[in-house]
Amino acid sequence: MSHEKFPEQDRFAEELAWVRTEPKVPIVTPSPYPAIRFPEPIHPFDRPVRLEADITGVECVQGEIPAHLDGTYYKVASDRQFPTYVENDIGYFNDDGMALYFRFKDGRVDYKSRYIRTPRFEAERAAGRSLFGKYRNQFDDDPMVEGMVRGNANTNLFYHGGKLYAAKEDAPPIVLDPDTLETVGSYDFEGALTATSATAHPKIDPVSGEMVFFGYAAKGDTTRDIAYYEADATGKVIHETWFKAPYSAMVHDFAVTQNYVVFPIIPLRSEREWIEKGESAFQWDGTEDIYLGVLPRKGDGAKITWYRGQSRFASHIMGAYDDGRYIYIDCPSSPGGYFPWFPNLDGSPHDPKGAEISLVRWTLDLADTSRTFTQTKIANYGVEFPRMDDRRETLEYSWGAMAVSDVPGARKPGRGFRWITTVDIATGVQKLYDPGDGSTVGEPVFIPGADDAPEGHGYVAVLVSRRDAMHSELVLLDAQNIDKEPVCTLRMPMRIPKGLHGNWVSGEELAARTA
Amino acid sequence: MSHEKFPEQDRFAEELAWVRTEPKVPIVTPSPYPAIRFPEPIHPFDRPVRLEADITGVECVQGEIPAHLDGTYYKVASDRQFPTYVENDIGYFNDDGMALYFRFKDGRVDYKSRYIRTPRFEAERAAGRSLFGKYRNQFDDDPMVEGMVRGNANTNLFYHGGKLYAAKEDAPPIVLDPDTLETVGSYDFEGALTATSATAHPKIDPVSGEMVFFGYAAKGDTTRDIAYYEADATGKVIHETWFKAPYSAMVHDFAVTQNYVVFPIIPLRSEREWIEKGESAFQWDGTEDIYLGVLPRKGDGAKITWYRGQSRFASHIMGAYDDGRYIYIDCPSSPGGYFPWFPNLDGSPHDPKGAEISLVRWTLDLADTSRTFTQTKIANYGVEFPRMDDRRETLEYSWGAMAVSDVPGARKPGRGFRWITTVDIATGVQKLYDPGDGSTVGEPVFIPGADDAPEGHGYVAVLVSRRDAMHSELVLLDAQNIDKEPVCTLRMPMRIPKGLHGNWVSGEELAARTA
């Protein structure tokens, strides 16, 4: 090789003349839309992602994808389409719903994500900006969407009767195509959903195949009305009854057993005058008792019985069952308000001590005419996102899993859910999965290891946010041994945004799809 | 709010019994496919991305998107579908082509990415693993794909005659839908492409609308045959002629003027015996001269004239024109081999000094019977990815832009292209865009500020890899003032993988699409 210089002539001095040249055409012309520009979050991981994406064959960086696993883990994320005009918005609850799935088949996993085309989403897309304001406050909306359903379908994805539903508790559910995640449309159960809303936490009775669900604020936000429905295994509504709660509150979840349905009314209250004044739609009232409304399955709402207890917080139900005399309900509960973003009605600041949460069992004695109930702590750690082996829904059960925000004595840095725990309800044994520092976890979802696997034998799917590395992973754990090395780790090339609930649907169930 | 304790009973000791429980179902079952697991790159930014994604309304974190800008910036990326079985693979050249676009309209930008479904891609997807081996070596492939076209369409996206093409120089081009980026299929110009390959760097004559292109190794890899074509403005081939190069080499680009076409043969040689032995298909031979083959436009290949010069490297042509007597060709050139991944034929190690590259002008005097040419340095810095205002293709021009890997005296950390420079060919004035530390840049692509904008008046689009922050940005610069604050910065929520070339296509051109 030769390095001889070619005859060269340096036409330019080392010191360049940095001439400013004014362009002879317009360079900046104003946009008809406001700029899409999100505020800088505290951590860059928490920026909106907004990707509608497909990956064929997600990378498996650890372990092996079980080849016999055939089905889809559906999950919803909260991912804002346009910047909000609301100060200190509750993004987790108020951002747009993005449906995600991880489809397992033959040892491969495909990923898909699509925005859920709610009427709200479509209206904002057409306008090119946010039109809906504060969480659950229609008076904060742009007048052009007055009266429009506000649901953003960002709370849960579930499957029943051959349909994939995306739900938010203030609106009817949205039906999605389970293969493409395209939005089919808003669904009112062939006209049978007479309430303005339906819960994001229906229960599917594994014995009958029925879906038990309800709508609260069922005549519009802040109304005390609750409508309770059951649909048969095909999705046809076969039961409807109405009643009124003692006060208007957020009724995020409920408990269903083989013989009873229980509606917890906790004092995260909601009043029309608050939203009219522009205050938070939900406020914590520590002076107010909690009420558990008990009805026999398919019972008449007029005959509801209210069991009463001292004020406390609860939201998600891990599991519930009855033995004819007692109803057992397991849920994370804290003595005071749990959510820091909902203010205390008395004006006091959020109290972290009152928000300390753990898994408890409520026991209702149907023979006890005092209409009270007991509470027993049944697991350690600060926990939420309780899940069970859904094949035991409504039945006595033993296996549960939760996300853990706080392990007393643990010196782990960071905030949010940073471990997963399983709990054996029968023996009290808990195990911990630790994703490592700089990572947070989402809801743990159980996947049966086989159709006929014993309860709790199979996998726990958990979406891990590798916050420091700016990407996400889906980790599959052995549900009996989550403290062992994961079964496999599926590495995503990007972040998956914050999200709430999801569910596993087997390939066999999906083959029976009707929408 | 009250913190009184409820009657509680801690059922579990603080010291938990960490019982191992063997699952009663199979947890790991072997996959029929090899795991998709990529080697850990030196920097995590360089992992494959593999996302087929849509973003409606990319976030604009700085400046304002010019509302009058109507068109699409197409670019191709190299993004491996499956891990390779090749050691020290040349990923930039040998990974799968992913088509990307940024579509500008009314002050909004939408993003889309889709894998290009080459026959090679589809065969590997069906097999669930890599089937094609070393770069440009068919003998390293799985026998099941013997004889299959090896092109991965990862070099350029360009638009002509109403069609969007994805190209790799060793295969016929692939036609894509310009709106959906779906693959229409491999295209042989209605049977007129008689060569086995077509260049990824065709030139579109702005006067006639003709597309001038060629295929080298046109009877199969390592053959000396070159086929030169011209297609009219509709894409119909109207000229074809063949000739042989002095030796078989990589002919990545060529020069086209109003009256001439020039084929540079540089000693990045390729021989069949090398690939049969499993050696690198291309090797640098510093003892071999370079040859510039000159033909009149639409001339007869039998009458080609070879201009000869001392060994040196060149690849991309910024621009070329002729004035009847002289042909001027501007290109980055280095005295020795530029690519560190292609070995030297004499076994010596890659020589960084010989790889020092800068923009030069070659001048061919058609009246000089010595058949030599001169070389003059016409810009500073280490540069590649030279581009011009494509409206001046084949014509005398003044405005150019390049990516800069090296600014003498600059103390900027990192490797790769870390600045953009513009150069005024007429005055020698250069300006620099510095994206900041921890960032690299891709090819600068010119976008006219208006249909009738003077040469070089408008924008430079440049994809910036924010490597340290693990995401990409599309930055729009004022083409006359790239050293000023960008016109706007579009922030992507994820990385965009390494990639080569792209082009701007106006909305008006896209409206005339034929495929």
Side-chain angles (χ1 to χ4, degrees), chain A residues 3 7 12 19 21 27 29 37-38 47 50 52 54 57 59-60 63 68 108 351 375 378 428 431 459 481, chain B residues 3 7 12 19 21 27 29 37-38 47 50 52 54 57 59-60 63 68 128 351 375 378 428 431 459 481:
Chain A
H3 295 159
F12 316 124
V19 183
T21 315
I27 292 298
T29 45
R37 189 169 299 170
F38 294 94
R47 272 193 170 266
R50 306 170 70 245
E52 300 188 285
D54 289 83
E59 187 181 5
C60 176
H68 72 283
R108 282 288 163 90
D351 175 10
Q375 173 171 310
I378 58 170
K431 294 180 181 179
Y459 310 93
N481 299 291
Chain B
H3 296 160
F12 316 126
V19 183
T21 314
I27 292 299
T29 45
R37 189 169 300 170
F38 294 94
R47 271 193 171 267
R50 307 169 71 244
E52 299 188 285
D54 288 83
E59 187 179 5
C60 175
H68 71 283
D351 175 11
Q375 172 170 310
I378 58 171
K431 294 181 182 180
Y459 309 94
N481 298 290

Side-chain angles (χ1 to χ4, degrees), chain A residues 472-515:
Chain A
S472 296
E473 287 176 355
L474 184 70
V475 174
L476 224 57
L477 304 167
D478 173 355
Q480 289 293 310
N481 299 291
I482 65 165
D483 51 328
K484 285 205 289 196
E485 184 177 62
V487 176
C488 63
T489 300
L490 302 169
R491 184 185 165 121
M492 306 299 289
M494 77 300 187
R495 295 172 288 132
I496 294 179
K498 65 189 179 301
L500 293 168
H501 306 285
N503 287 283
W504 172 261
V505 183
S506 73
E508 192 180 352
E509 290 172 277
L510 284 172
R513 55 173 287 199
T514 60

Side-chain angles (χ1 to χ4, degrees), chain B residues 255-262 292 294 307 319-330 361-370 372-376 394-396:
Chain B
V256 180
T257 73
Q258 277 292 299
N259 299 299
Y260 296 95
V261 54
V262 183
L292 306 181
V294 178
Y307 289 70
Y321 63 97
D322 75 275
D323 58 12
R325 171 161 176 182
Y326 294 99
I327 299 173
Y328 307 97
I329 301 171
D330 300 340
R361 169 161 292 188
W362 293 337
T363 304
L364 287 68
D365 182 350
L366 296 164
D368 178 0
T369 53
S370 75
T372 59
F373 59 94
T374 65
Q375 172 170 310
T376 307
T394 74
L395 303 170
E396 185 172 0

Side-chain angles (χ1 to χ4, degrees), chain A residues 31-300:
Chain A
S31 167
Y33 303 107
I36 300 177
R37 189 169 299 170
F38 294 94
E40 193 65 40
I42 293 169
H43 191 293
F45 194 94
D46 297 321
R47 272 193 170 266
V49 178
R50 306 170 70 245
L51 275 175
E52 300 188 285
D54 289 83
I55 304 171
T56 303
V58 177
E59 187 181 5
C60 176
V61 292
Q62 175 267 320
E64 195 164 354
I65 301 166
H68 72 283
L69 206 49
D70 178 3
T72 304
Y73 171 38
Y74 292 98
K75 183 178 166 69
V76 73
S78 294
D79 204 358
R80 185 161 273 282
Q81 178 181 199
F82 294 111
T84 180
Y85 52 84
V86 175
E87 280 184 49
N88 302 315
D89 190 35
I90 308 168
Y92 232 108
F93 291 5
N94 210 19
D95 288 351
D96 297 296
M98 176 83 86
L100 321 173
Y101 77 50
F102 293 86
R103 178 154 287 185
F104 289 69
K105 176 94 176 161
D106 295 334
R108 282 288 163 90
V109 175
D110 295 337
Y111 171 81
K112 191 184 284 288
S113 63
R114 292 292 184 275
Y115 268 121
I116 299 161
R117 267 60 181 179
T118 61
R120 167 177 172 158
F121 179 94
E122 295 284 36
E124 293 190 335
R125 174 152 290 185
R129 62 183 173 87
S130 279
L131 300 172
F132 292 81
K134 284 196 179 113
Y135 183 65
R136 304 285 280 276
N137 186 340
Q138 70 266 38
F139 303 113
D140 198 36
D141 296 346
D142 190 290
M144 81 160 75
V145 294
E146 192 181 332
M148 188 177 282
V149 172
R150 302 183 88 245
N152 50 15
N154 70 358
T155 310
N156 201 357
L157 287 186
F158 52 89
Y159 187 85
H160 179 256
K163 286 187 175 63
L164 179 66
Y165 294 89
K168 170 78 178 184
E169 65 196 38
D170 64 348
I174 305 285
V175 170
L176 306 180
D177 182 300
D179 293 327
T180 66
L181 295 182
E182 276 170 24
T183 299
V184 177
S186 196
Y187 187 64
D188 68 359
F189 295 84
E190 315 286 341
L193 181 68
T194 50
T196 57
S197 64
T199 182
H201 286 292
K203 307 292 177 235
I204 294 166
D205 181 330
V207 180
S208 66
E210 292 163 334
M211 182 165 75
V212 187
F213 64 105
F214 69 100
Y216 80 95
K219 293 183 175 173
D221 265 353
T222 78
T223 60
R224 285 166 51 211
D225 305 272
I226 295 179
Y228 153 42
Y229 302 90
E230 298 214 11
D232 68 14
T234 70
K236 180 177 164 15
V237 170
I238 54 171
H239 180 71
E240 173 185 355
T241 191
W242 287 69
F243 59 92
K244 277 186 195 293
Y247 52 84
S248 176
M250 181 182 287
V251 189
H252 181 65
D253 197 352
F254 73 143
V256 180
T257 73
Q258 277 293 298
N259 300 299
Y260 296 95
V261 54
V262 183
F263 300 90
I265 311 299
I266 62 153
L268 189 55
R269 291 176 45 204
S270 181
E271 296 295 342
R272 185 175 167 100
E273 63 177 281
W274 302 343
I275 60 176
E276 285 177 347
K277 284 192 286 186
E279 295 178 359
S280 174
F282 293 91
Q283 305 193 26
W284 180 255
D285 183 1
T287 69
E288 184 62 86
D289 283 349
I290 80 168
Y291 293 82
L292 306 180
V294 177
L295 271 181
R297 283 281 295 276
K298 303 192 184 68
D300 175 0

Side-chain angles (χ1 to χ4, degrees), chain A residues 1-4 6-14 16-38 40 44 47-68 82 106-108 125 128 284 286 310-312 335-337 344 346 348-349 351 353-354 375-381 425-432 449-450 453-454 457-459 469-470 478 480-481 483-484 487 491 493-495, chain B residues 1-4 6-14 16-38 40 44 47-68 82 106-108 125 128-129 284 286 310-312 335-337 344 346 348-349 351 353-354 375-381 425-432 449-450 453-454 457-459 469-470 478 480-481 483-484 487 491 493-495:
Chain A
M1 248 178 330
S2 112
H3 295 159
E4 292 97 321
F6 300 99
E8 272 187 10
Q9 159 193 355
D10 268 20
R11 291 168 56 189
F12 316 124
E14 279 300 306
L16 295 173
W18 290 101
V19 183
R20 289 255 173 254
T21 315
E22 284 315 309
K24 294 174 182 162
V25 288
I27 292 298
V28 176
T29 45
S31 167
Y33 303 107
I36 300 177
R37 189 169 299 170
F38 294 94
E40 193 65 40
R47 272 193 170 266
V49 178
R50 306 170 70 245
L51 275 175
E52 300 188 285
D54 289 83
I55 304 171
T56 303
V58 177
E59 187 181 5
C60 176
V61 292
Q62 175 267 320
E64 195 164 354
I65 301 166
H68 72 283
F82 294 111
D106 295 334
R108 282 288 163 90
R125 174 152 290 185
W284 180 255
Q310 192 178 334
S311 177
R312 79 200 77 174
N344 291 325
D346 65 8
S348 63
D351 175 10
K353 183 82 187 157
Q375 173 171 310
T376 306
K377 182 174 173 183
I378 58 170
N380 291 306
Y381 313 136
I425 305 287
T427 66
V429 172
Q430 277 185 273
K431 294 180 181 179
L432 270 182
H457 286 253
Y459 310 93
M470 292 291 284
D478 173 355
Q480 289 293 310
N481 299 291
D483 51 328
K484 285 205 289 196
V487 176
R491 184 185 165 121
M494 77 300 187
R495 295 172 288 132
Chain B
M1 248 180 325
S2 110
H3 296 160
E4 290 97 322
F6 300 100
E8 272 188 13
Q9 162 192 353
D10 269 20
R11 291 167 56 189
F12 316 126
E14 280 299 307
L16 296 172
W18 291 101
V19 183
R20 289 256 172 253
T21 314
E22 284 314 308
K24 294 173 182 162
V25 287
I27 292 299
V28 177
T29 45
S31 167
Y33 303 107
I36 300 176
R37 189 169 300 170
F38 294 94
E40 193 65 41
R47 271 193 171 267
V49 178
R50 307 169 71 244
L51 276 174
E52 299 188 285
D54 288 83
I55 303 171
T56 303
V58 177
E59 187 179 5
C60 175
V61 292
Q62 176 267 321
E64 194 163 356
I65 301 165
H68 71 283
F82 294 111
D106 295 333
R108 282 288 163 89
R125 174 153 290 185
R129 61 184 174 87
W284 181 254
Q310 191 178 336
S311 178
R312 79 198 78 174
N344 291 325
D346 65 8
S348 63
D351 175 11
K353 183 80 187 158
Q375 172 170 310
T376 307
K377 182 173 175 183
I378 58 171
N380 290 307
Y381 314 135
I425 305 287
T427 67
V429 171
Q430 276 184 272
K431 294 181 182 180
L432 270 182
H457 286 253
Y459 309 94
M470 292 292 283
D478 172 355
Q480 289 293 311
N481 298 290
D483 51 328
K484 284 206 290 196
V487 176
R491 184 186 165 121
M494 78 297 188
R495 295 171 288 132

Side-chain angles (χ1 to χ4, degrees), chain A residues 337 349-357:
Chain A
H350 177 74
D351 175 10
K353 183 82 187 157
E356 282 180 4
I357 195 162

